[in-house]
């Protein structure tokens, strides 16, 4: 896919960048990325991916913009209050980069629509805010053979990691799944939602920007993605740490006894309840 003259100027800093160059920018233009959630994490991810020239961004969110969102969901403006988040985010993307197709889906991801939403995607980005949805997104990405970038924020901390669980690692074992990293979910008492616990707004920008970096590396091939590694950020102390995690043979997706192969007959809660 050729770049127009206006795109050559717009993306000039990418094109002269070793590891990206013209070929990488063309790959970005041809890419289709699905963003689950247009909230605190989705906002910076969508902004940076659209600015980078990712050609097709699918935005999946069934929520509406509220006043309390604006403290951290910086893709929205006060005039967007009450609008569907997916639509408002798509309009913001159009204003930032007319060369990007923003495809709003005002729906919640479910076991029934997940695989169709991910069809043809080069990457899925999970910015959801609950374990049930994260398990569903990760399982669907695995079954659809689509790389997944996952991130989460707390009050002052967050993490980022990348999954290519449908692929084999260099050591001959499968890459780890989300269920290898999180074999059991967490309830509201363990991780309360941000409306109860609060969140420092800029934290979403830190973690969302790191998630966007992972997507850009996946598409261009520049650098090593965080497969089997989880990057942890403590905003209160200003500290980054990295932990490693491995494929777990007992996981129900690509484990030695893996039996979960079809999303179509499961609700999101049933997916989250699959034993590990």
């Amino acid at each position: 896919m050729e770049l127009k003259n206006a795109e050559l100027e717009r993306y000039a800093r990418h094109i002269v960048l070793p590891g990206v160059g013209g070929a990488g920018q063309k790959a970005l233009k041809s890419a289709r990325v699905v963003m689950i959630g247009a909230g605190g994490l989705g906002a910076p991810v969508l902004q940076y991916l659209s600015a980078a020239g990712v050609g097709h961004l699918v935005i999946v969110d069934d929520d509406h913009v509220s006043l309390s969102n604006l403290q951290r969901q910086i893709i929205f403006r006060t005039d967007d209050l009450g609008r569907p988040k997916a639509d408002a985010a798509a309009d913001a993307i159009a204003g930032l980069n007319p060369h990007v197709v923003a495809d709003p889906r005002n729906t919640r991801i479910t076991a029934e629509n997940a695989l169709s939403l991910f069809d043809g995607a080069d990457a899925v980005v999970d910015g959801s805010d609950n374990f049930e949805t994260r398990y569903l997104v990760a399982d669907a990405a695995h079954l659809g053979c689509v790389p997944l970038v996952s991130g989460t924020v707390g009050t002052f901390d967050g993490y980022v990691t990348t999954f290519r669980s449908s692929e084999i690692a260099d050591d001959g074992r499968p890459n780890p799944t989300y269920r290898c990293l999180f074999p059991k979910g967490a309830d509201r008492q363990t991780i309360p939602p941000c409306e109860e616990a609060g969140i420092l707004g800029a934290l979403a920008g830190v973690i969302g920007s790191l998630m966007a970096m992972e997507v850009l590396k996946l598409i261009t091939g520049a650098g090593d993605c965080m497969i089997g590694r989880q990057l942890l950020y403590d905003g209160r102390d200003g500290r980054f740490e990295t932990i490693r995690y491995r494929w777990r043979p007992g996981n129900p997706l690509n484990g030695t006894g893996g039996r979960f192969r079809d999303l179509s007959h499961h609700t999101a809660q049933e997916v989250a309840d699959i034993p590990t």
Side-chain angles (χ1 to χ4, degrees), residues 110-148:
T110 67
E112 291 71 33
N113 66 16
L115 290 177
S116 62
L117 285 170
F118 295 176
D119 186 37
D122 295 283
V124 173
V125 189
D126 185 9
S128 62
D129 60 359
N130 63 85
F131 269 93
E132 288 80 8
T133 302
R134 291 173 197 146
Y135 282 125
L136 173 60
V137 171
D139 292 343
H142 172 80
L143 295 174
C145 301
V146 184
L148 168 67

Side-chain angles (χ1 to χ4, degrees), residues 134-219:
R134 291 173 197 146
Y135 282 125
L136 173 60
V137 171
D139 292 343
H142 172 80
L143 295 174
C145 301
V146 184
L148 168 67
V149 175
S150 179
T152 298
V153 289
T155 52
F156 287 90
D157 60 294
Y159 80 78
V160 181
T161 190
T162 296
F163 300 96
R164 302 192 79 151
S165 58
S166 61
E167 300 178 12
I168 302 299
D170 291 340
D171 61 5
R173 296 182 297 182
N175 282 328
T177 70
Y178 185 86
R179 291 176 181 271
C180 296
L181 181 58
F182 296 108
K184 295 182 179 179
D187 58 23
R188 289 172 61 86
Q189 286 71 43
T190 305
I191 304 178
C194 66
E195 61 264 25
E196 295 178 10
I199 179 174
L200 194 65
L203 174 67
V206 174
I207 301 301
S209 296
L210 290 169
M211 293 168 73
M213 278 288 295
E214 287 295 289
V215 176
L216 296 177
K217 290 190 294 180
L218 278 170
I219 296 171

